[in-house]
Amino acid sequence: MSRLHHRHALSIRIALITVALLLGGCRATLFAGLNATDHQAGITVPPSVVFDAQHQLQLDIYRPQHADHAPIVVFFYGGSWTHGERAWYRFVGTTLAAHGVVTVIPDYRKYPQVKMDGFMQDAAKAVAWVHQHATDIDGAPNDIFVMGHSAGGQIGALLVTDPSWLAPYGLRPTDMAGFIGLAGCYDFMPIPANEKEMLGMFGHDQASQARAQPVRFVSGHEPPMLLLQGEADHEVDPSNAVSLTHALQAKHDDVTLRLYPGVSHNALVFALSRPFHNDAPTLTDVLAFIRSHRPSGDVTTMP
């Protein structure tokens, strides 16, 4: 990187950090500023698609130009299961599409509108829609990766560990090419008594809370997994990723754990954007995992 480009990138980073500090909880403004810096060439973004008319849920599709049977990532964003919007994560879609990956970012309903069953049903329906329409969006139905950050990581991990969510659509966890978890919540019970919203969506008793724990469903019939985690994460304890890794290893599953020293919760996913790309090797590790876990015989290339 030239000195001029380095200074420009640094000034963008400083501006975004300043905005985050000044605005505090104004997440929409922060994400809008981040996305404004992240224009990518060589991709197409068609109008949003309705995948659940009953609940008015839509998804955004980011396609590499001239893609043909490309790998697909279905990305579930975080937000404590209570907030967040697919449009905030445009930088995830554009970045992955610029590297040859069709990226789908769906809506899902939040608490208190729904509890766990509601947003898990939404997520399963979104993955089923992508599987059904994979060739229509220039991807391949046997080359779908589920990916999620934070609460979205819990949603994605539960889809690929508890087979009951995909079963109504005739799908199994092993129909996915892989799972990519970014600081996901995989093993978080007992839920503390002061976490009123989490108790509301996941339940107060042990049996109810166990249904939300991906680590409890590991059986040896999971797709390959890449678990990325910042060691400086003060929102989702790194023990979640470590615990799920140990459970998968005990069943001899294909799992790779990457712990990043000094990386915080949001920095892990923000590293997929241009201004923060050098803060963590998130993009490098995600692309390497997708390339190494594509279906046997697939000769399509990723830039």
Side-chain angles (χ1 to χ4, degrees):
M1 178 185 290
S2 71
R3 185 173 299 177
L4 179 61
H5 286 168
H6 177 76
R7 288 177 179 172
H8 180 63
L10 181 60
S11 66
I12 291 174
R13 285 165 50 82
I14 292 172
L16 288 169
I17 292 169
T18 301
V19 167
L21 292 173
L22 290 175
L23 297 176
C26 192
R27 300 180 182 90
T29 304
L30 171 60
F31 280 100
L34 184 64
N35 287 324
T37 70
D38 211 69
H39 297 291
Q40 301 278 2
I43 67 171
T44 60
V45 186
S48 299
V49 176
V50 175
F51 71 91
D52 184 342
Q54 178 183 357
H55 299 113
Q56 299 181 327
L57 300 178
Q58 301 182 58
L59 51 80
D60 292 333
I61 306 167
Y62 301 83
R63 302 190 208 180
Q65 288 182 358
H66 313 300
D68 182 22
H69 286 79
I72 302 173
V73 160
V74 183
F75 177 78
F76 294 103
Y77 53 83
S80 302
W81 306 276
T82 62
H83 60 272
E85 299 178 16
R86 68 182 191 279
W88 293 0
Y89 292 85
R90 180 182 184 277
F91 68 92
V92 175
T94 58
T95 296
L96 293 178
H99 288 84
V101 180
V102 175
T103 306
V104 179
I105 305 180
D107 288 327
Y108 59 89
R109 289 171 292 166
K110 319 292 192 306
Y111 182 83
Q113 180 186 3
V114 296
K115 298 183 179 181
M116 185 185 81
D117 285 51
F119 56 70
M120 287 303 304
Q121 289 163 7
D122 297 343
K125 182 171 288 189
V127 169
W129 186 97
V130 172
H131 186 268
Q132 181 180 356
H133 297 274
T135 56
D136 299 332
I137 61 175
D138 304 321
N142 64 339
D143 204 0
I144 298 172
F145 294 81
V146 175
M147 178 175 170
H149 174 244
S150 193
Q154 183 266 346
I155 291 172
L158 202 56
L159 283 178
V160 300
T161 53
D162 179 357
S164 69
W165 298 110
L166 291 173
Y169 302 98
L171 296 173
R172 299 167 298 175
T174 49
D175 290 325
M176 303 297 107
F179 169 72
I180 303 166
L182 279 62
C185 308
Y186 314 122
D187 187 5
F188 54 94
M189 64 179 294
I191 298 173
N194 63 342
E195 293 285 355
K196 302 300 184 184
E197 290 183 328
M198 291 183 67
L199 290 170
M201 67 185 82
F202 296 123
H204 291 74
D205 61 278
Q206 186 174 5
S208 297
Q209 293 179 17
R211 294 180 62 235
Q213 315 296 315
V215 70
R216 296 295 184 99
F217 292 94
V218 172
S219 64
H221 300 287
E222 290 74 38
M225 295 198 191
L226 172 66
L227 305 179
L228 306 182
Q229 178 69 50
E231 291 185 335
D233 192 330
H234 301 297
E235 295 188 43
V236 175
D237 195 280
S239 62
N240 281 263
V242 173
S243 177
L244 182 56
T245 298
H246 289 165
L248 292 163
Q249 289 174 335
K251 296 295 184 180
H252 305 288
D253 280 326
D254 180 348
V255 58
T256 301
L257 173 64
R258 294 278 187 264
L259 297 173
Y260 300 153
V263 174
S264 67
H265 186 71
N266 287 327
L268 185 67
V269 68
F270 284 175
L272 292 171
S273 70
R274 279 184 173 176
F276 297 98
H277 176 66
N278 292 325
D279 286 359
T282 306
L283 180 60
T284 299
D285 285 343
V286 166
L287 293 176
F289 178 78
I290 292 173
R291 290 189 180 102
S292 63
H293 288 84
R294 301 193 64 193
S296 176
D298 196 325
V299 296
T300 56
T301 59
M302 294 166 55

